[in-house]
Amino acid sequence: MKPTETDGGEQPSIVATATDEDGSFSFEYDDDDIEITHRERARELFDELIYKPAIVAVKDRRTVIGGLIFLGYLLMGSVGVLFYPAPTSNQVDRSIAPFSTMDAPLGSTAIGEDVLSMIIHATPEMLQMIFAGGIFATGIATLIGTVAGYKGGRIDRAITSFSDAAMSIPGLPLIMVLAVVFRPSNPWVIGVLLTINYWAGLGRSIRSQVLTLREAPYVEASRTMGVSTWRILRKDIIPNLMPFILVNFANAARYVVFTSVGLYYLGILPTSVENWGLQLDVAYKNAGALVADGNLYLLVFPMVAIMGIALSLILLAQGLDRVFNPRVRTRLAGESESITDDADEQRSTELIH
Amino acid sequence: MTNYYLQRTARAILTIWVVITATFGMIRLLPGGPLAQLEAKLLRQGVPAGQVDAMLQTYQNVHPDKPIEVQYIDYVVALLQGDLGTSISRNKPVMSIIADALPWTIFVMVTATFLIFAIAIVWGALMAYREGGSFDLFSSAASIVLSSIPFYVIGIALIIVFGYQLELLPTGYRSTSGIDPESGLLVFFLDALDHAYLPILSMVLAGVGLQALAMRGNAIQVLGADYVRVARLRGLPDRRVAVRYVARNAILPMYTGFLTLIGFNLGGSVILEEVFNYNGIGYYMFLGLDNRDYPLMMGIFLIITTALVISVYVADLTYGLIDPRITTGESNETY
């Protein structure tokens, strides 16, 4: 990451604190002493989270393509749902071939449902699951990884043991058993359920990143000034991990897509909502007939929908990883970015399922 | 060092114990489902209540009249003796179903995982050596596209193409009915292989992309390292540099991934085997889920978990042997 530019207004004025009324000298300061208006804080947040990543992101082709595809899905899930009618049986003629009529551009099923409509109306739930799962997995992983890595000692051992145990439970079977036990139908709950132990591996690699960060000079400076652990984590550690966390957000999202579609395909999740997995399931049950009749489009379109969103997430993850990781040493001298030597080899590449 | 091994062993046992306890709890949480239905059905058929209770107890090791801690101890003891209860839908001991199915799943998944790594290591290394060239660009794009397709989608596509359209390979099942080891070992093996091609291929295609990219990243990192430059400057032959210096160090970080991926893929077998109608443990786990056959479902869940715990355990224990630089038992200052 580029060193952040500082302008005077954001700097906590330690001098003012040092000359308090009682005259005692102290490096202590709390939030009240720092005069940052909400607007400034919002702008700082915007700079850190949106503006700077955006600037670097557009330099990488993969990020741009991935971002555009994902934007397409966002539009489909928000605006598209409002304007395109929901699928019902017999809304159009039965078994229309794709690209033959504007009533059903992607054709229709054997009971007269519009295939395009089915694909569009499956998107909102999918996006909700992605966000729920991604936020849950990366959030828990960040919390657990930073605390374990920074605190060390007994807390570290306890947290690491716990997350190692969670990591050793196979994700898919566990999710299936839980899905049968709890029968979730809310997409946000399903998203969380799908990443129920995904955070563990991620937390472990965040921890190993923190292990190198905790000895950094600026963290040590904060520590000697008596800044509280939470504040150090929030202000010094987590901002530096943000790129890594973003990359893994995209990876977790892809995992959610694959798993949820798989579970809907198996029919383990309740079938109250549209899902591409359901479409696959229905179509594949008659695979033999599909081939004979040339109705393969019923299988192909949901497949394309799954691939598209997964592709966009992978491109985003790969692109961001490259953009944010100046550590990847490249032999091509002209393209090499600044090389830092603090790299520990535990990079995001290890975490991919 | 010994301390680390002891701790690690204790942790593995602890994990399995936690999972056993969790399944014990979940069986009791499950909606009354199968047992209640079965009980009602048997009572309706005029089977005496006492006999019904005795029958139900042999399924699942649930004895509702005993105190919970006695039930728990019975459950754990039964598991340790290899008794996973009786499958309701199959009317057979869960253990015998697993013993029949597990070798098939392990065959498919271990072969697939092994192939994934073998291909990924070579492919990734080639990409790294030609970084920036058109081969690298094309391969990177191909591996990204491949990994954007879930394995079960690839599986469905392969079945459609090779099974239904070209009619080259069977569309499902683990062997042709009528062919078993008695009809000649070679015939049996070739038949089993015929049925395993597509499942293995779909796992490999879906899994190889990301691993190849990971290998590429590792290899690029190693290629830029000072010791490789020094080795080159010393005039060592390229081949020696490639094998002894680059390959070794680039493959090391992937070792743990290899063993954990086997366990991870065992979990994925539930979807894969359902797509291929392949009678491995994943297939039976889904059967258990679908029929609310909880003993079968939980038994297989326990087996898959144990397999994953053991493979991660082995990975952790052997990593120190493979990479002597790893120092275990880190001691960090507490803040």
Side-chain angles (χ1 to χ4, degrees):
Chain A
M1 275 176 79
K2 292 176 190 169
T4 48
E5 285 178 28
T6 49
D7 49 295
E10 285 174 25
Q11 289 299 309
S13 60
I14 295 168
V15 189
T17 329
T19 54
D20 264 343
E21 286 102 64
D22 57 348
S24 67
F25 181 84
S26 155
F27 277 125
E28 286 276 356
Y29 60 86
D30 49 11
D31 284 342
D32 303 335
D33 293 339
I34 309 163
E35 302 222 344
I36 302 180
T37 62
H38 283 294
R39 179 182 294 181
E40 275 174 329
R41 200 167 280 176
R43 206 190 62 204
E44 187 191 357
L45 213 64
F46 175 80
D47 268 9
E48 280 304 318
L49 286 180
I50 298 168
Y51 182 67
K52 282 179 190 157
I55 289 280
V56 257
V58 290
K59 285 185 190 149
D60 191 289
R61 214 177 344 163
R62 286 174 296 188
T63 329
V64 176
I65 300 174
L68 284 178
I69 301 178
F70 194 71
L71 188 69
Y73 278 91
L74 278 180
L75 288 176
M76 199 157 97
S78 53
V79 189
V81 178
L82 295 179
F83 288 99
Y84 206 87
T88 50
S89 49
N90 287 321
Q91 65 184 159
V92 288
D93 291 339
R94 295 177 183 194
S95 300
I96 308 176
F99 311 119
S100 57
T101 159
M102 275 316 286
D103 290 342
L106 298 184
S108 68
T109 63
I111 55 167
E113 292 162 308
D114 180 359
V115 173
L116 178 62
S117 160
M118 291 167 85
I119 286 177
I120 289 180
H121 281 266
T123 321
E125 277 83 10
M126 184 56 82
L127 292 174
Q128 286 165 3
M129 282 189 264
I130 287 177
F131 284 118
I135 290 168
F136 175 76
T138 47
I140 299 278
T142 309
L143 184 72
I144 282 196
T146 49
V147 171
Y150 182 74
K151 292 294 271 188
R154 198 174 295 160
I155 296 178
D156 180 26
R157 270 201 299 280
I159 293 180
T160 312
S161 297
F162 175 63
S163 61
D164 276 6
M167 201 161 66
S168 316
I169 302 174
L172 198 58
L174 176 69
I175 295 163
M176 287 176 169
V177 170
L178 290 178
V180 169
V181 175
F182 296 110
R183 313 290 306 157
S185 56
N186 182 327
W188 297 97
V189 179
I190 296 178
V192 171
L193 181 77
L194 293 177
T195 49
I196 192 84
N197 73 342
Y198 187 88
W199 53 266
L202 183 55
R204 196 159 139 157
S205 54
I206 288 180
R207 171 181 170 273
S208 72
Q209 305 249 332
V210 175
L211 282 182
T212 55
L213 278 180
R214 78 205 284 261
E215 308 298 347
Y218 56 88
V219 178
E220 206 168 341
S222 295
R223 201 156 46 230
T224 41
M225 280 162 62
V227 178
S228 75
T229 303
W230 279 117
R231 210 180 148 80
I232 293 181
L233 288 184
R234 246 187 21 228
K235 288 280 165 183
D236 295 335
I237 305 260
I238 294 180
N240 276 293
L241 290 173
M242 236 17 228
F244 184 76
I245 294 171
L246 272 179
V247 169
N248 281 291
F249 183 91
N251 282 334
R254 191 181 66 104
Y255 176 79
V256 170
V257 173
F258 282 10
T259 317
S260 72
V261 172
L263 291 192
Y264 274 108
Y265 167 77
L266 290 180
I268 287 174
L269 289 172
T271 54
S272 56
V273 288
E274 288 289 334
N275 187 284
W276 305 319
L278 288 177
Q279 282 178 276
L280 275 187
D281 183 28
V282 174
Y284 181 60
K285 283 225 170 81
N286 315 309
L290 285 187
V291 175
D293 302 343
N295 283 348
L296 279 180
Y297 65 93
L298 288 177
L299 267 178
V300 171
F301 290 126
M303 284 182 183
V304 171
I306 300 163
M307 267 186 70
I309 196 163
L311 185 66
S312 75
L313 290 168
I314 272 195
L315 285 172
L316 282 174
Q318 294 277 334
L320 289 174
D321 192 31
R322 175 64 182 265
V323 169
F324 286 128
N325 251 311
R327 292 169 183 168
V328 179
R329 287 176 186 234
T330 159
R331 290 170 307 144
L332 307 172
E335 285 185 20
S336 73
E337 302 186 21
S338 65
I339 291 163
T340 49
D341 269 295
D342 61 339
D344 61 333
E345 67 270 39
Q346 197 115 31
R347 291 187 44 245
S348 60
T349 43
E350 220 180 87
L351 230 207
I352 294 163
H353 296 309
Chain B
M1 273 313 258
T2 13
N3 191 18
Y4 168 75
Y5 289 127
L6 274 179
Q7 270 184 11
R8 193 61 194 75
T9 310
R11 194 185 281 170
I13 295 173
L14 185 79
T15 310
I16 294 181
W17 174 71
V18 166
V19 174
I20 289 177
T21 310
T23 53
F24 174 80
M26 277 193 285
I27 289 177
R28 272 146 195 83
L29 263 182
L30 286 167
L35 288 183
Q37 280 169 25
L38 192 68
E39 191 175 4
K41 192 172 142 199
L42 289 172
L43 287 174
R44 245 181 297 145
Q45 287 170 351
V47 182
Q51 200 181 330
V52 172
D53 280 351
M55 282 174 74
L56 292 183
Q57 284 169 13
T58 57
Y59 296 123
Q60 207 159 8
N61 306 323
V62 175
H63 307 270
D65 46 333
K66 287 190 195 169
I68 191 93
E69 62 275 7
V70 178
Q71 288 183 42
Y72 178 70
I73 291 169
D74 285 354
Y75 180 76
V76 175
V77 168
L79 285 184
L80 290 180
Q81 291 169 342
D83 175 13
L84 295 172
T86 308
S87 158
I88 299 170
S89 59
R90 293 265 141 165
N91 218 353
K92 269 198 288 189
V94 172
M95 209 56 194
S96 77
I97 296 180
I98 292 177
D100 167 63
L102 192 60
W104 297 86
T105 306
I106 288 188
F107 166 62
V108 168
M109 286 310 177
V110 172
T111 316
T113 315
F114 187 76
L115 284 175
I116 288 176
F117 275 83
I119 298 172
I121 284 170
V122 176
W123 195 14
L126 283 178
M127 281 194 265
Y129 265 99
R130 300 178 188 177
E131 193 201 350
S134 55
F135 173 78
D136 178 35
L137 196 71
F138 177 77
S139 295
S140 301
S143 36
I144 286 182
V145 170
L146 273 183
S147 36
S148 73
I149 319 175
F151 61 86
Y152 48 88
V153 168
I154 296 188
I156 292 176
L158 288 176
I159 293 177
I160 297 278
V161 173
F162 289 98
Y164 286 107
Q165 288 189 321
L166 302 176
E167 295 182 9
L168 280 177
L169 290 169
T171 56
Y173 303 107
R174 65 187 194 191
S175 58
T176 315
S177 67
I179 294 186
D180 48 46
E182 272 117 67
S183 52
L185 268 181
L186 187 67
V187 178
F188 174 70
F189 181 69
L190 287 179
D191 181 64
L193 215 53
D194 250 8
H195 288 80
Y197 282 137
L198 291 186
I200 292 177
L201 186 61
S202 51
M203 290 307 288
V204 171
L205 282 179
V208 77
L210 282 182
Q211 299 300 336
L213 285 178
M215 177 67 191
R216 175 182 177 272
N218 292 343
I220 288 176
Q221 220 165 0
V222 174
L223 281 171
D226 293 336
Y227 57 83
V228 172
R229 204 168 300 151
V230 171
R232 284 226 178 87
L233 290 174
R234 272 168 63 204
L236 293 178
D238 279 351
R239 204 187 154 71
R240 192 178 150 89
V241 175
V243 176
R244 299 288 296 269
Y245 289 77
V246 181
R248 269 195 186 180
N249 286 295
I251 294 171
L252 263 181
M254 299 178 71
Y255 173 71
T256 320
F258 174 65
L259 282 176
T260 43
L261 194 68
I262 292 182
F264 185 78
N265 282 347
L266 278 181
S269 69
V270 187
I271 301 183
L272 185 79
E273 294 177 353
E274 178 56 23
V275 170
F276 282 93
N277 264 318
Y278 197 88
N279 299 29
I281 48 167
Y283 177 86
Y284 284 111
M285 174 153 185
F286 178 72
L287 204 76
L289 283 168
D290 214 26
N291 295 330
R292 301 287 177 270
D293 184 349
Y294 297 137
L296 184 60
M297 174 175 108
M298 289 301 182
I300 294 178
F301 177 64
L302 273 177
I303 291 290
I304 296 180
T305 308
T306 312
L308 185 57
V309 170
I310 291 176
S311 58
V312 175
Y313 174 65
V314 170
D316 278 4
L317 287 197
T318 50
Y319 196 80
L321 299 177
I322 290 178
D323 189 350
R325 290 171 303 177
I326 294 294
T327 48
T328 45
E330 77 267 53
S331 53
N332 282 313
E333 207 183 331
T334 326
Y335 296 139

